[in-house]
Amino acid sequence: VYKIQPMIRRMTPRTFIADSGDTSHVGRSDVEMCYIEHRASTILFGAGDLETATKIGKRKGTVIQADGTATNVTLSNYKHVPKLWTNLFSLTASIASGWKVCNEGKILVLTKGKQKIKFDRIIKTGDGYLCGVEIPPQGTADTAMVSQLKEG
């Protein structure tokens, strides 16, 4: 049995976990969503739980790497699922958009041309680890947040 509480303390509401099982990016916040369709979409999660996405569109965010570098991104086919306990970044949707997946040690890395996203927030679990990245909505990733993330 995983102890969820210690894992949650190492994550923020803006952490996205790399996920090979999702066909869409899903998150609990609708801040900076655009091109929104207000329609319900049922999503089946790994343990058989069903959740409902209330909005589907794009989400503008800023990838904040552990070293403090920042890159603006737009997550296409983003589904707003308010009841999620964490955000999930779809690796398969990224691959379909031309991104390549590789690793640098434990860190999962996506590359497309000169662009690079490192899932450099390593979150230990009971038997292994999760790879996460911070993607706050664009316009909220100020210097104070970058400094806070570098320390954490």
Side-chain angles (χ1 to χ4, degrees), residues 12-38:
T12 75
R14 297 167 174 159
T15 303
F16 277 76
I17 301 299
D19 190 354
S20 62
D22 268 323
T23 56
S24 305
H25 306 293
V26 293
R28 57 188 182 176
S29 173
D30 63 354
V31 175
E32 283 300 312
M33 278 189 74
C34 56
Y35 305 103
I36 297 171
E37 294 178 41
H38 293 274

Side-chain angles (χ1 to χ4, degrees), residues 41-151:
S41 173
T42 302
I43 301 170
L44 176 66
F45 288 94
D49 296 331
L50 291 172
E51 291 294 340
T52 302
T54 57
K55 300 174 189 173
I56 301 168
K58 296 182 178 188
R59 180 184 178 273
K60 295 181 179 187
T62 302
V63 172
I64 307 293
Q65 302 294 182
D67 68 2
T69 58
T71 305
N72 288 336
V73 295
T74 300
L75 302 179
S76 298
N77 199 21
Y78 176 84
K79 294 184 177 181
H80 176 229
V81 183
K83 292 183 180 180
L84 282 183
W85 74 272
T86 190
N87 306 301
L88 301 173
F89 188 100
S90 173
L91 294 175
T92 55
S94 300
I95 292 167
S97 296
W99 289 82
K100 301 216 180 294
V101 180
C102 63
N103 69 299
E104 294 175 5
K106 287 185 174 182
I107 297 172
L108 188 70
V109 181
L110 291 176
T111 57
K112 186 176 184 179
K114 293 184 179 185
Q115 294 177 299
K116 186 183 275 193
I117 298 173
K118 293 182 178 186
F119 287 79
D120 54 9
R121 302 295 197 272
I122 304 301
I123 302 148
K124 292 182 183 180
T125 65
D127 296 328
Y129 64 95
L130 300 172
C131 297
V133 67
E134 294 295 318
I135 311 178
Q138 280 182 17
T140 62
D142 60 13
T143 324
M145 181 175 180
V146 172
S147 297
Q148 176 188 14
L149 292 173
K150 284 173 82 171
E151 294 168 7

